[in-house]
Structure formats: C-alpha cells, structure tokens
Amino acid sequence: MKQQSLKFTIIVGCFWILIMGIINLVFKPYGIDYDSGWAATSAFFIASALIFNYLTNSIRISKDHVKSYLLVIIVFLAMALSINYIFPISIIKKFEIINSKIIFPLFSWNVFVSKSADIIFQQLLINILIEHYLKFYNRRDSVKYFGIFFAVIHLPLFYVFGLKALYFILPSIAGGVLFAYLISYFYRGYLLSLGFHFTFYLGLGVFLRYLN
C-alpha cells in the first residue's frame, strides 16, 4: 500500500474509532444512548461524518445523494417498525435485549433512527475511503484493501460487547468486501451498499429477537 494511501487509511480509522469511542465511553455512561438520547446521538453521528468529509475535501454530496439516502432510510425505517408487529416479543425478551447492550433489535422508532444515523456515518466514511483508494489502485485492489480495513476497524467492539462482538465482526469480513465491490463496480453503488448495510441489521435484529 502506498504511503499516502496508508496515511489516509490510518486517519480514517482513528477518526472512526474516536467517534465510536465517544458514543460508547462518553455518551452512554451519561444516558445518551440510542434510545433516550436518540436525537443527540443521531446528530453527533451525522455531523461528525459531514465535518470529516468537509475537512478532508473527500466526496461531493449533492442534493441527489441526500434525497436518495433519505428514501432508503424511510423504506428501511418502515420495515424496521413493522417488525414489531410481524415478529412480536415478550416483555421478558425486551428486557433481555436492553440488558444485552445491543438494543437495535427492539426496532422502536427512536432506536432505529439512531441506528440509521450510525449506518450513514459508517457509509460516508466507507465511501470516502474507497473513493480515495480508487485514485491510487485498480478496483480489485481497492476492494481488497478496504475489506481488510473494515474487518480490522470492528475489532474494538470486543471491548464494548465482549464475545457478542462476533455478531458484527464475522459478517464485517464479507461486508467490507461487498460494500467496496458495490461502490467500485456499480453506478450508484453507494445506495446498494447502504441498502445491504440496513438489510444486515434488519436480519441480525430479527435473529437476536429470537435468540435464546
């Protein structure tokens, strides 16, 4: 990997870990989480990604991008909220999910709005890094390098969730390659990447709702 590309990869990785660290180690201990602190959490995620993009002058975000993102979010938010009716859970299971610290499987509107902001934060950084790679490497190498990055960047989740972090780390190995491939090879691949990211969390959420 070229030195300039490696340097930018480290910058993106450090920024990503910093923001997630603030969310999990600063916000959450004060009750600012995906549930009761959904507004602050969502605003922090979106603002952080946009500020980073502005400071690094990475990608141009057009009105078309914003409209497309909003459309995808609305569709998946509707799907998430409908899960409570299609796959209902007991009060006991609800408390189990809350105590597990992985609360997006509740699929309440406020939690999923926060999770949507989290996903958008990740997707913007994903786009920024892949677009950077494509300036230096061919598409195949860009996909390979980002796949490695995406798997490594999820390792700190062990500190937050313990072994439950494997729910995210194992899929991230394939997910990073998939996201990079879609963005690199397809027109408006960033929307396909966003859609698959949401689909993963919907599927994982349903699985965790019924995990004994």
Side-chain angles (χ1 to χ4, degrees):
M1 183 179 285
K2 298 179 181 180
Q3 184 175 0
Q4 183 177 356
S5 180
L6 178 60
K7 180 180 178 181
F8 190 71
T9 299
I10 293 173
I11 290 173
V12 173
C14 289
F15 178 76
W16 193 317
I17 293 173
L18 172 66
I19 298 305
M20 289 302 184
I22 292 174
I23 289 290
N24 288 285
L25 303 179
V26 179
F27 279 21
K28 287 185 178 180
Y30 286 94
I32 307 173
D33 56 17
Y34 283 35
D35 188 1
S36 57
W38 67 272
T41 300
S42 300
F44 183 71
F45 270 128
I46 301 299
S48 298
L50 292 177
I51 290 172
F52 184 83
N53 183 58
Y54 175 78
L55 292 177
T56 57
N57 192 28
S58 295
I59 57 175
R60 179 178 175 272
I61 301 176
S62 65
K63 291 182 179 179
D64 190 42
H65 280 86
V66 175
K67 290 179 181 178
S68 300
Y69 264 61
L70 288 176
L71 178 60
V72 172
I73 292 169
I74 290 171
V75 169
F76 279 93
L77 178 58
M79 293 173 65
L81 296 179
S82 67
I83 287 175
N84 276 323
Y85 298 97
I86 301 173
F87 303 102
I89 55 175
S90 66
I91 298 294
I92 295 176
K93 186 61 181 181
K94 181 177 180 180
F95 280 112
E96 288 179 358
I97 291 174
I98 293 173
N99 290 333
S100 73
K101 298 181 181 180
I102 303 175
I103 62 173
F104 74 87
L106 293 175
F107 289 125
S108 57
W109 70 268
N110 49 341
V111 171
F112 202 77
V113 166
S114 298
K115 193 61 193 177
S116 297
D118 179 355
I119 292 172
I120 291 172
F121 166 81
Q122 294 185 51
Q123 283 293 318
L124 284 176
L125 292 189
I126 288 169
N127 274 270
I128 287 171
L129 190 52
I130 292 174
E131 291 295 332
H132 176 81
Y133 285 159
L134 289 172
K135 295 176 183 177
F136 297 91
Y137 312 106
N138 57 41
R139 288 183 289 188
R140 185 179 64 181
D141 286 342
S142 297
V143 170
K144 177 181 68 177
Y145 289 138
F146 183 79
I148 296 171
F149 169 84
F150 199 64
V152 171
I153 201 67
H154 280 77
L155 294 180
L157 290 176
F158 277 121
Y159 178 80
V160 179
F161 299 117
L163 289 178
K164 292 179 180 178
L166 290 173
Y167 293 139
F168 307 99
I169 294 174
L170 292 179
S172 74
I173 297 172
V177 172
L178 176 62
F179 296 153
Y181 180 81
L182 292 173
I183 294 171
S184 300
Y185 283 88
F186 288 87
Y187 175 67
R188 292 199 174 183
Y190 67 93
L191 286 181
L192 294 173
S193 177
L194 180 66
F196 272 101
H197 209 154
F198 271 114
T199 300
F200 164 73
Y201 277 103
L202 288 177
L204 179 60
V206 171
F207 171 74
L208 293 177
R209 284 169 76 92
Y210 288 95
L211 181 66
N212 293 324

